[in-house]
Amino acid sequence: MRGPVCVALLVWLLNDAATREFSEEQMAAIRQRIKSMFYHAYNSYLDNAFPYDELRPLTCDGQDTWGSFSLTLIDALDTLLVLGNRTEFQRVASLLQDTVDFDIDVNASVFETNIRVVGGLLSAHLLAGRAGMELEPGWPCSGPLLRMAEDAARKLLPAFQTPTGMPYGTVNLLHGVSPTETPVTCTAGVGTFILEFATLSRLTGDPTFEDVARRALRALWKTRSDIGLVGNHIDILSRKWVAQDAGIGAGVDSYFEYLVKGAIMLMDEELLNMFQEYDRAIQNYTRFDDWYLWVQMHKGTVSMPVFQSLEAFWPGLQSLLGNLDSAVRTFQNYYSVWRQFGGLPEFYSIPQGYTVDKREGYPLRPELIESAMYLFRATGDHTYLQLGLDALESIERIARTPCGYASVKDLRDHQLDNRMESFFLAETVKYLYLLFDPTHFLHGGGSEGAGSWEEGGEGGQCVLGAGGFIFNTEAHPLDPAALYCCSRHAEDRQELRDILLSLSQPTEKSGHQSIPPTRQTEDPPPSQSESIALKPGEKKTLPPLSCPVQPFSARLSVMGQVFTDNT
């Protein structure tokens, strides 16, 4: 175990070194470099690969990879607005509406289509107001990009029609699930839907999407081992674990991510409780010296003493839960690997302190940069900005080609692969930019785009875009306030009317309580409400009494009495 000792020494040296402080002028200059990186890759895709899914940067042409959706364009759409380019956002949003068709005979990954296509369209829909697009009445509860996201998600629903509720991994967009489709899928492929599907349900009013995502989560929850762990691949029909390696990396990672982010976005205690129970088992059985190994899910014995690059999301997730000490130490381990190679190899042997055979590649993944963004927000420590600068310079030096940026086939000699995955523009560049822009509107500031808050919903009585965005696992930001606006705002207003009307009724004789009137089948106009201070039939315009930037389980108080979801 000489490797961990050397790594620990390197981490100590990193901590002992004086941290470079970045001025605002330096951060602004770095943001411009990141923009240049984005547009070199983006324009190369448009010029050489559109309408294919991805750019092949070594041969300057395109290929379809995940389903023939012009995937890179969908994935990059919200990044355009993050960088402040409203004009191109509007052009591409209109172009996608005219060119993308989901009624095609294509076998598509249910997982990838959800996080990249459905997530990307939902995020673009929710950012359309800030982008200056013409909005339908009632936005964000309606709109063309929302309808596209719903259309794509409906193509995935046949995969969930199983006895367990856990979805198949692949579905044909035109014909549904093939009779020969394998029932074996990875854990993340079962548990990574609640963010997009709950958003869809609450924006459209159709509960189907959230219902199937929750059913899959609950079915997966029941399959955990006696020591509280889940494996890597499961048979969705028999509920038997096919791969019994338990860890936080590839095949599992976003399942844990969605339990935490789903709990935050939906104010959902059930999801948080699930994660916390998993986390206790993860800390007990897989954590060693602030590394996380792979163990046998039933016994807890080490099966693979490796670090995978996909695990680098974990410190960022810990920071969301306030576990900063552990997050910082784990991040330092992962950062030491980055400094050793100029990127994160897909697999890294912790005992040997080196890459694993045939897993030496770096496809320009975003996870360590993502964690740096969260930890810089949480701590203000400029060490995380240094990682961002290291990443920017490393990618420019190793991966830049005349036609975009290429995946690194081997970090030992910097051989390149002829592929630029769509997540490079959706995640890697976006998280880099946001790392160096702490006042960005996605952080609750207002440096890019017009204004900080927006109005939405019927009558413009919802507050949107006030901060607290939740990023899906493809870095597509979702606004929890929009979910509230479409699913709860009208309900809250009706409940308030019921309360006020019940208070205005004459007190019943002793022994009988007044019964609030039955809800009307049709709401009055949103700007009007019955008032106990007015004569019968008289109307008065009232300001909205519900504030979606407050905790979404909170309601209102009347005469000192607090009303919650349970009262």
Side-chain angles (χ1 to χ4, degrees):
M1 293 294 286
R2 184 173 56 193
V5 175
C6 296
V7 169
L9 177 60
L10 178 57
V11 169
W12 179 82
L13 290 172
L14 290 173
N15 288 335
D16 191 56
T19 301
R20 171 184 173 182
E21 293 292 320
F22 290 77
S23 67
E24 174 50 41
E25 290 76 16
Q26 290 172 320
M27 291 171 68
I30 294 171
R31 289 199 297 271
Q32 287 304 122
R33 293 178 62 184
I34 297 167
K35 283 187 177 182
S36 296
M37 171 185 280
F38 173 84
Y39 286 113
H40 176 61
Y42 178 77
N43 291 330
S44 294
Y45 167 78
L46 288 181
D47 294 341
N48 300 285
F50 177 79
Y52 290 103
D53 278 343
E54 291 180 359
L55 170 70
R56 297 203 305 169
L58 300 184
T59 52
C60 283
D61 55 11
Q63 64 178 346
D64 282 334
T65 51
W66 294 110
S68 191
F69 308 126
S70 301
L71 186 61
T72 293
L73 206 55
I74 294 176
D75 242 356
L77 181 53
D78 55 20
T79 308
L80 286 166
L81 189 62
V82 169
L83 301 183
N85 194 338
R86 299 171 66 182
T87 302
E88 182 67 359
F89 180 98
Q90 294 174 22
R91 186 190 75 83
V92 172
S94 298
L95 177 65
L96 290 173
Q97 294 171 46
D98 295 335
T99 59
V100 174
D101 182 10
F102 299 115
D103 289 320
I104 51 177
D105 187 5
V106 166
N107 293 323
S109 163
V110 180
F111 169 85
E112 299 289 356
T113 304
N114 176 57
I115 66 170
R116 303 194 197 206
V117 177
V118 178
L121 292 170
L122 283 174
S123 178
H125 163 72
L126 293 173
L127 295 173
R130 188 176 297 273
M133 294 187 67
E134 184 177 348
L135 303 176
E136 290 185 4
W139 174 89
C141 313
S142 64
L145 293 174
L146 176 60
R147 287 189 287 274
M148 285 184 68
E150 183 179 6
D151 186 22
R154 287 200 185 280
K155 296 294 185 179
L156 306 181
L157 289 179
F160 291 83
Q161 295 172 4
T162 65
T164 64
M166 293 188 282
Y168 285 97
T170 303
V171 66
N172 184 284
L173 300 183
L174 202 58
H175 304 297
V177 178
S178 168
T180 60
E181 177 64 26
T182 175
V184 177
T185 190
C186 67
T187 306
V190 175
T192 308
F193 295 92
I194 191 64
L195 290 183
E196 297 84 2
F197 276 31
T199 297
L200 261 180
S201 284
R202 299 191 185 199
L203 294 182
T204 65
D206 184 347
T208 303
F209 303 102
E210 184 171 349
D211 287 348
V212 299
R214 286 188 181 276
R215 186 179 178 222
L217 283 175
R218 288 165 180 157
L220 189 56
W221 171 249
K222 293 177 182 177
T223 66
R224 66 195 188 282
S225 69
D226 290 340
I227 61 174
L229 295 172
V230 288
N232 196 276
H233 280 73
I234 190 171
D235 186 314
I236 62 163
L237 300 181
S238 67
R239 296 186 176 89
K240 292 182 179 178
W241 286 100
V242 177
Q244 299 186 1
D245 297 304
I248 61 171
V252 186
D253 49 354
S254 55
Y255 171 44
F256 297 136
E257 178 186 1
Y258 272 41
L259 290 178
V260 173
K261 291 182 175 178
I264 296 170
M265 187 175 80
L266 305 174
M267 299 296 288
D268 193 301
E269 190 174 358
E270 177 187 14
L271 300 181
L272 184 60
N273 288 339
M274 286 180 180
F275 176 80
Q276 288 175 334
E277 185 162 333
Y278 279 132
D279 192 41
R280 284 190 286 271
I282 289 167
Q283 301 302 323
N284 285 337
Y285 293 102
T286 76
R287 180 179 174 182
F288 296 87
D289 294 330
D290 298 307
W291 295 94
Y292 291 84
L293 311 184
W294 289 86
V295 302
Q296 210 283 338
M297 64 176 288
H298 297 288
K299 301 176 183 177
T301 53
V302 175
S303 58
M304 292 190 296
V306 299
F307 157 65
Q308 299 177 348
S309 62
L310 284 169
E311 297 172 18
F313 84 101
W314 189 258
L317 194 70
Q318 288 179 305
S319 76
L320 286 176
L321 294 165
N323 301 328
L324 283 179
D325 289 344
S326 176
V328 167
R329 292 193 299 270
T330 297
F331 182 91
Q332 289 170 340
N333 283 346
Y334 299 169
Y335 188 12
S336 70
V337 178
W338 180 287
R339 291 173 66 93
Q340 184 178 352
F341 295 100
L344 288 185
E346 292 287 72
F347 281 45
Y348 177 84
S349 171
I350 297 170
Q352 296 176 350
Y354 206 64
T355 60
V356 174
D357 187 40
K358 298 181 181 179
R359 293 291 188 273
E360 304 93 350
Y362 169 55
L364 310 183
R365 291 198 187 277
E367 283 76 17
L368 191 63
I369 302 166
E370 173 188 2
S371 284
M373 182 197 75
Y374 282 115
L375 286 169
F376 178 62
R377 293 286 296 161
T379 67
D381 187 339
H382 283 220
T383 298
Y384 304 107
L385 297 181
Q386 185 62 53
L387 173 278
L389 182 58
D390 289 349
L392 174 62
E393 294 181 339
S394 180
I395 292 170
E396 285 284 2
R397 184 172 60 254
I398 297 173
R400 184 183 174 101
T401 74
C403 189
Y405 293 84
S407 297
V408 182
K409 187 175 183 179
D410 193 328
L411 277 169
R412 297 171 301 176
D413 57 12
H414 298 166
Q415 291 183 57
L416 298 181
D417 200 5
N418 193 20
R419 187 173 185 187
M420 186 181 81
E421 291 229 34
S422 69
F423 60 64
F424 177 66
L425 295 181
E427 299 186 76
T428 307
V429 174
K430 183 184 294 161
Y431 282 133
L432 258 181
Y433 189 85
L434 291 173
L435 170 62
F436 286 96
D437 192 358
T439 62
H440 196 278
F441 75 83
L442 287 176
H443 296 316
S447 65
E448 299 285 357
S452 56
W453 289 10
E454 302 171 278
E455 293 181 348
E458 189 177 6
Q461 298 195 35
C462 292
V463 177
L464 304 175
F469 288 85
I470 302 296
F471 292 91
N472 87 335
T473 198
E474 192 76 3
H476 295 306
L478 303 172
D479 186 359
L483 279 61
Y484 168 88
C485 180
C486 298
S487 66
R488 295 296 300 273
H489 187 64
E491 181 181 340
D492 285 352
R493 291 183 57 78
Q494 181 63 58
E495 183 169 337
L496 174 60
R497 286 192 286 271
D498 291 349
I499 293 169
L500 294 177
L501 286 172
S502 69
L503 294 175
S504 67
Q505 299 300 317
T507 304
E508 298 287 337
K509 292 183 180 180
S510 179
H512 298 278
Q513 294 182 341
S514 61
I515 302 175
T518 304
R519 292 189 179 184
Q520 302 295 318
T521 56
E522 183 177 344
D523 286 347
S527 62
Q528 297 176 325
S529 175
E530 299 290 347
S531 170
I532 58 175
L534 298 176
K535 297 178 182 179
E538 201 172 347
K539 304 287 184 181
K540 178 183 178 181
T541 300
L542 294 176
L545 296 182
S546 298
C547 180
V549 297
Q550 296 295 321
F552 303 125
S553 60
R555 307 297 281 278
L556 64 149
S557 62
V558 176
M559 300 175 67
Q561 187 172 6
V562 176
F563 293 82
T564 67
D565 287 338
N566 299 320
T567 58

mmCIF file with all atom_site columns, all heavy atoms in Angstrom, residues 134-148:
data_model
loop_
_atom_site.group_PDB
_atom_site.id
_atom_site.type_symbol
_atom_site.label_atom_id
_atom_site.label_alt_id
_atom_site.label_comp_id
_atom_site.label_asym_id
_atom_site.label_entity_id
_atom_site.label_seq_id
_atom_site.pdbx_PDB_ins_code
_atom_site.Cartn_x
_atom_site.Cartn_y
_atom_site.Cartn_z
_atom_site.occupancy
_atom_site.B_iso_or_equiv
_atom_site.pdbx_formal_charge
_atom_site.auth_seq_id
_atom_site.auth_comp_id
_atom_site.auth_asym_id
_atom_site.auth_atom_id
_atom_site.pdbx_PDB_model_num
ATOM 1   N N   . GLU A 1 134 ? -40.190 34.808 -26.886 1.00 0.00 ? 134 GLU A N   1
ATOM 2   C CA  . GLU A 1 134 ? -41.621 35.082 -26.733 1.00 0.00 ? 134 GLU A CA  1
ATOM 3   C C   . GLU A 1 134 ? -42.263 33.910 -26.005 1.00 0.00 ? 134 GLU A C   1
ATOM 4   O O   . GLU A 1 134 ? -42.113 32.751 -26.416 1.00 0.00 ? 134 GLU A O   1
ATOM 5   C CB  . GLU A 1 134 ? -42.263 35.275 -28.108 1.00 0.00 ? 134 GLU A CB  1
ATOM 6   C CG  . GLU A 1 134 ? -43.733 35.655 -28.037 1.00 0.00 ? 134 GLU A CG  1
ATOM 7   C CD  . GLU A 1 134 ? -44.334 35.923 -29.405 1.00 0.00 ? 134 GLU A CD  1
ATOM 8   O OE1 . GLU A 1 134 ? -43.558 36.034 -30.390 1.00 0.00 ? 134 GLU A OE1 1
ATOM 9   O OE2 . GLU A 1 134 ? -45.573 36.010 -29.491 1.00 0.00 ? 134 GLU A OE2 1
ATOM 10  N N   . LEU A 1 135 ? -42.963 34.205 -24.922 1.00 0.00 ? 135 LEU A N   1
ATOM 11  C CA  . LEU A 1 135 ? -43.488 33.160 -24.054 1.00 0.00 ? 135 LEU A CA  1
ATOM 12  C C   . LEU A 1 135 ? -44.988 33.007 -24.228 1.00 0.00 ? 135 LEU A C   1
ATOM 13  O O   . LEU A 1 135 ? -45.715 33.988 -24.412 1.00 0.00 ? 135 LEU A O   1
ATOM 14  C CB  . LEU A 1 135 ? -43.178 33.495 -22.583 1.00 0.00 ? 135 LEU A CB  1
ATOM 15  C CG  . LEU A 1 135 ? -41.704 33.695 -22.234 1.00 0.00 ? 135 LEU A CG  1
ATOM 16  C CD1 . LEU A 1 135 ? -41.561 34.122 -20.784 1.00 0.00 ? 135 LEU A CD1 1
ATOM 17  C CD2 . LEU A 1 135 ? -40.903 32.418 -22.504 1.00 0.00 ? 135 LEU A CD2 1
ATOM 18  N N   . GLU A 1 136 ? -45.448 31.764 -24.154 1.00 0.00 ? 136 GLU A N   1
ATOM 19  C CA  . GLU A 1 136 ? -46.886 31.503 -24.171 1.00 0.00 ? 136 GLU A CA  1
ATOM 20  C C   . GLU A 1 136 ? -47.523 31.992 -22.878 1.00 0.00 ? 136 GLU A C   1
ATOM 21  O O   . GLU A 1 136 ? -46.886 32.002 -21.815 1.00 0.00 ? 136 GLU A O   1
ATOM 22  C CB  . GLU A 1 136 ? -47.143 30.007 -24.320 1.00 0.00 ? 136 GLU A CB  1
ATOM 23  C CG  . GLU A 1 136 ? -46.785 29.437 -25.672 1.00 0.00 ? 136 GLU A CG  1
ATOM 24  C CD  . GLU A 1 136 ? -47.176 27.973 -25.784 1.00 0.00 ? 136 GLU A CD  1
ATOM 25  O OE1 . GLU A 1 136 ? -47.785 27.441 -24.821 1.00 0.00 ? 136 GLU A OE1 1
ATOM 26  O OE2 . GLU A 1 136 ? -46.893 27.371 -26.839 1.00 0.00 ? 136 GLU A OE2 1
ATOM 27  N N   . PRO A 1 137 ? -48.797 32.390 -22.924 1.00 0.00 ? 137 PRO A N   1
ATOM 28  C CA  . PRO A 1 137 ? -49.493 32.713 -21.670 1.00 0.00 ? 137 PRO A CA  1
ATOM 29  C C   . PRO A 1 137 ? -49.450 31.524 -20.719 1.00 0.00 ? 137 PRO A C   1
ATOM 30  O O   . PRO A 1 137 ? -49.657 30.382 -21.114 1.00 0.00 ? 137 PRO A O   1
ATOM 31  C CB  . PRO A 1 137 ? -50.930 33.000 -22.141 1.00 0.00 ? 137 PRO A CB  1
ATOM 32  C CG  . PRO A 1 137 ? -50.799 33.392 -23.570 1.00 0.00 ? 137 PRO A CG  1
ATOM 33  C CD  . PRO A 1 137 ? -49.648 32.581 -24.111 1.00 0.00 ? 137 PRO A CD  1
ATOM 34  N N   . GLY A 1 138 ? -49.129 31.806 -19.464 1.00 0.00 ? 138 GLY A N   1
ATOM 35  C CA  . GLY A 1 138 ? -49.053 30.743 -18.470 1.00 0.00 ? 138 GLY A CA  1
ATOM 36  C C   . GLY A 1 138 ? -47.688 30.099 -18.347 1.00 0.00 ? 138 GLY A C   1
ATOM 37  O O   . GLY A 1 138 ? -47.504 29.213 -17.504 1.00 0.00 ? 138 GLY A O   1
ATOM 38  N N   . TRP A 1 139 ? -46.698 30.508 -19.193 1.00 0.00 ? 139 TRP A N   1
ATOM 39  C CA  . TRP A 1 139 ? -45.343 29.979 -19.023 1.00 0.00 ? 139 TRP A CA  1
ATOM 40  C C   . TRP A 1 139 ? -44.908 30.194 -17.576 1.00 0.00 ? 139 TRP A C   1
ATOM 41  O O   . TRP A 1 139 ? -45.237 31.219 -16.986 1.00 0.00 ? 139 TRP A O   1
ATOM 42  C CB  . TRP A 1 139 ? -44.381 30.727 -19.967 1.00 0.00 ? 139 TRP A CB  1
ATOM 43  C CG  . TRP A 1 139 ? -42.939 30.365 -19.782 1.00 0.00 ? 139 TRP A CG  1
ATOM 44  C CD1 . TRP A 1 139 ? -42.269 29.364 -20.402 1.00 0.00 ? 139 TRP A CD1 1
ATOM 45  C CD2 . TRP A 1 139 ? -41.999 30.998 -18.908 1.00 0.00 ? 139 TRP A CD2 1
ATOM 46  N NE1 . TRP A 1 139 ? -40.965 29.336 -19.964 1.00 0.00 ? 139 TRP A NE1 1
ATOM 47  C CE2 . TRP A 1 139 ? -40.775 30.324 -19.032 1.00 0.00 ? 139 TRP A CE2 1
ATOM 48  C CE3 . TRP A 1 139 ? -42.067 32.057 -17.993 1.00 0.00 ? 139 TRP A CE3 1
ATOM 49  C CZ2 . TRP A 1 139 ? -39.636 30.672 -18.318 1.00 0.00 ? 139 TRP A CZ2 1
ATOM 50  C CZ3 . TRP A 1 139 ? -40.940 32.406 -17.271 1.00 0.00 ? 139 TRP A CZ3 1
ATOM 51  C CH2 . TRP A 1 139 ? -39.740 31.729 -17.452 1.00 0.00 ? 139 TRP A CH2 1
ATOM 52  N N   . PRO A 1 140 ? -44.241 29.238 -16.933 1.00 0.00 ? 140 PRO A N   1
ATOM 53  C CA  . PRO A 1 140 ? -43.565 28.054 -17.474 1.00 0.00 ? 140 PRO A CA  1
ATOM 54  C C   . PRO A 1 140 ? -44.404 26.789 -17.516 1.00 0.00 ? 140 PRO A C   1
ATOM 55  O O   . PRO A 1 140 ? -43.847 25.700 -17.676 1.00 0.00 ? 140 PRO A O   1
ATOM 56  C CB  . PRO A 1 140 ? -42.415 27.890 -16.494 1.00 0.00 ? 140 PRO A CB  1
ATOM 57  C CG  . PRO A 1 140 ? -43.004 28.277 -15.176 1.00 0.00 ? 140 PRO A CG  1
ATOM 58  C CD  . PRO A 1 140 ? -43.918 29.437 -15.497 1.00 0.00 ? 140 PRO A CD  1
ATOM 59  N N   . CYS A 1 141 ? -45.712 26.908 -17.351 1.00 0.00 ? 141 CYS A N   1
ATOM 60  C CA  . CYS A 1 141 ? -46.561 25.717 -17.338 1.00 0.00 ? 141 CYS A CA  1
ATOM 61  C C   . CYS A 1 141 ? -46.941 25.277 -18.744 1.00 0.00 ? 141 CYS A C   1
ATOM 62  O O   . CYS A 1 141 ? -47.677 24.300 -18.913 1.00 0.00 ? 141 CYS A O   1
ATOM 63  C CB  . CYS A 1 141 ? -47.814 25.980 -16.505 1.00 0.00 ? 141 CYS A CB  1
ATOM 64  S SG  . CYS A 1 141 ? -47.452 26.755 -14.900 1.00 0.00 ? 141 CYS A SG  1
ATOM 65  N N   . SER A 1 142 ? -46.466 25.990 -19.757 1.00 0.00 ? 142 SER A N   1
ATOM 66  C CA  . SER A 1 142 ? -46.684 25.613 -21.150 1.00 0.00 ? 142 SER A CA  1
ATOM 67  C C   . SER A 1 142 ? -45.563 26.206 -21.983 1.00 0.00 ? 142 SER A C   1
ATOM 68  O O   . SER A 1 142 ? -44.866 27.117 -21.538 1.00 0.00 ? 142 SER A O   1
ATOM 69  C CB  . SER A 1 142 ? -48.043 26.116 -21.651 1.00 0.00 ? 142 SER A CB  1
ATOM 70  O OG  . SER A 1 142 ? -48.067 27.544 -21.652 1.00 0.00 ? 142 SER A OG  1
ATOM 71  N N   . GLY A 1 143 ? -45.402 25.670 -23.184 1.00 0.00 ? 143 GLY A N   1
ATOM 72  C CA  . GLY A 1 143 ? -44.380 26.177 -24.086 1.00 0.00 ? 143 GLY A CA  1
ATOM 73  C C   . GLY A 1 143 ? -43.901 25.101 -25.027 1.00 0.00 ? 143 GLY A C   1
ATOM 74  O O   . GLY A 1 143 ? -44.001 23.902 -24.728 1.00 0.00 ? 143 GLY A O   1
ATOM 75  N N   . PRO A 1 144 ? -43.369 25.478 -26.197 1.00 0.00 ? 144 PRO A N   1
ATOM 76  C CA  . PRO A 1 144 ? -42.971 24.480 -27.196 1.00 0.00 ? 144 PRO A CA  1
ATOM 77  C C   . PRO A 1 144 ? -41.828 23.578 -26.747 1.00 0.00 ? 144 PRO A C   1
ATOM 78  O O   . PRO A 1 144 ? -41.815 22.389 -27.074 1.00 0.00 ? 144 PRO A O   1
ATOM 79  C CB  . PRO A 1 144 ? -42.563 25.344 -28.401 1.00 0.00 ? 144 PRO A CB  1
ATOM 80  C CG  . PRO A 1 144 ? -42.265 26.703 -27.839 1.00 0.00 ? 144 PRO A CG  1
ATOM 81  C CD  . PRO A 1 144 ? -43.183 26.865 -26.674 1.00 0.00 ? 144 PRO A CD  1
ATOM 82  N N   . LEU A 1 145 ? -40.857 24.117 -26.022 1.00 0.00 ? 145 LEU A N   1
ATOM 83  C CA  . LEU A 1 145 ? -39.751 23.268 -25.559 1.00 0.00 ? 145 LEU A CA  1
ATOM 84  C C   . LEU A 1 145 ? -40.227 22.282 -24.495 1.00 0.00 ? 145 LEU A C   1
ATOM 85  O O   . LEU A 1 145 ? -39.733 21.156 -24.413 1.00 0.00 ? 145 LEU A O   1
ATOM 86  C CB  . LEU A 1 145 ? -38.617 24.132 -25.019 1.00 0.00 ? 145 LEU A CB  1
ATOM 87  C CG  . LEU A 1 145 ? -37.894 25.003 -26.055 1.00 0.00 ? 145 LEU A CG  1
ATOM 88  C CD1 . LEU A 1 145 ? -36.895 25.930 -25.378 1.00 0.00 ? 145 LEU A CD1 1
ATOM 89  C CD2 . LEU A 1 145 ? -37.200 24.142 -27.106 1.00 0.00 ? 145 LEU A CD2 1
ATOM 90  N N   . LEU A 1 146 ? -41.192 22.701 -23.675 1.00 0.00 ? 146 LEU A N   1
ATOM 91  C CA  . LEU A 1 146 ? -41.788 21.785 -22.700 1.00 0.00 ? 146 LEU A CA  1
ATOM 92  C C   . LEU A 1 146 ? -42.516 20.655 -23.410 1.00 0.00 ? 146 LEU A C   1
ATOM 93  O O   . LEU A 1 146 ? -42.417 19.489 -23.000 1.00 0.00 ? 146 LEU A O   1
ATOM 94  C CB  . LEU A 1 146 ? -42.738 22.550 -21.782 1.00 0.00 ? 146 LEU A CB  1
ATOM 95  C CG  . LEU A 1 146 ? -43.516 21.713 -20.763 1.00 0.00 ? 146 LEU A CG  1
ATOM 96  C CD1 . LEU A 1 146 ? -42.576 20.978 -19.821 1.00 0.00 ? 146 LEU A CD1 1
ATOM 97  C CD2 . LEU A 1 146 ? -44.489 22.596 -19.969 1.00 0.00 ? 146 LEU A CD2 1
ATOM 98  N N   . ARG A 1 147 ? -43.223 20.976 -24.485 1.00 0.00 ? 147 ARG A N   1
ATOM 99  C CA  . ARG A 1 147 ? -43.931 19.934 -25.226 1.00 0.00 ? 147 ARG A CA  1
ATOM 100 C C   . ARG A 1 147 ? -42.944 18.972 -25.888 1.00 0.00 ? 147 ARG A C   1
ATOM 101 O O   . ARG A 1 147 ? -43.205 17.764 -25.970 1.00 0.00 ? 147 ARG A O   1
ATOM 102 C CB  . ARG A 1 147 ? -44.859 20.572 -26.266 1.00 0.00 ? 147 ARG A CB  1
ATOM 103 C CG  . ARG A 1 147 ? -46.093 21.223 -25.646 1.00 0.00 ? 147 ARG A CG  1
ATOM 104 C CD  . ARG A 1 147 ? -47.103 21.652 -26.691 1.00 0.00 ? 147 ARG A CD  1
ATOM 105 N NE  . ARG A 1 147 ? -46.654 22.832 -27.436 1.00 0.00 ? 147 ARG A NE  1
ATOM 106 C CZ  . ARG A 1 147 ? -46.852 24.080 -27.033 1.00 0.00 ? 147 ARG A CZ  1
ATOM 107 N NH1 . ARG A 1 147 ? -47.463 24.327 -25.884 1.00 0.00 ? 147 ARG A NH1 1
ATOM 108 N NH2 . ARG A 1 147 ? -46.441 25.098 -27.785 1.00 0.00 ? 147 ARG A NH2 1
ATOM 109 N N   . MET A 1 148 ? -41.813 19.493 -26.350 1.00 0.00 ? 148 MET A N   1
ATOM 110 C CA  . MET A 1 148 ? -40.788 18.596 -26.902 1.00 0.00 ? 148 MET A CA  1
ATOM 111 C C   . MET A 1 148 ? -40.244 17.663 -25.828 1.00 0.00 ? 148 MET A C   1
ATOM 112 O O   . MET A 1 148 ? -40.052 16.462 -26.072 1.00 0.00 ? 148 MET A O   1
ATOM 113 C CB  . MET A 1 148 ? -39.647 19.424 -27.496 1.00 0.00 ? 148 MET A CB  1
ATOM 114 C CG  . MET A 1 148 ? -39.949 20.093 -28.815 1.00 0.00 ? 148 MET A CG  1
ATOM 115 S SD  . MET A 1 148 ? -38.483 20.942 -29.486 1.00 0.00 ? 148 MET A SD  1
ATOM 116 C CE  . MET A 1 148 ? -37.413 19.549 -29.885 1.00 0.00 ? 148 MET A CE  1
#
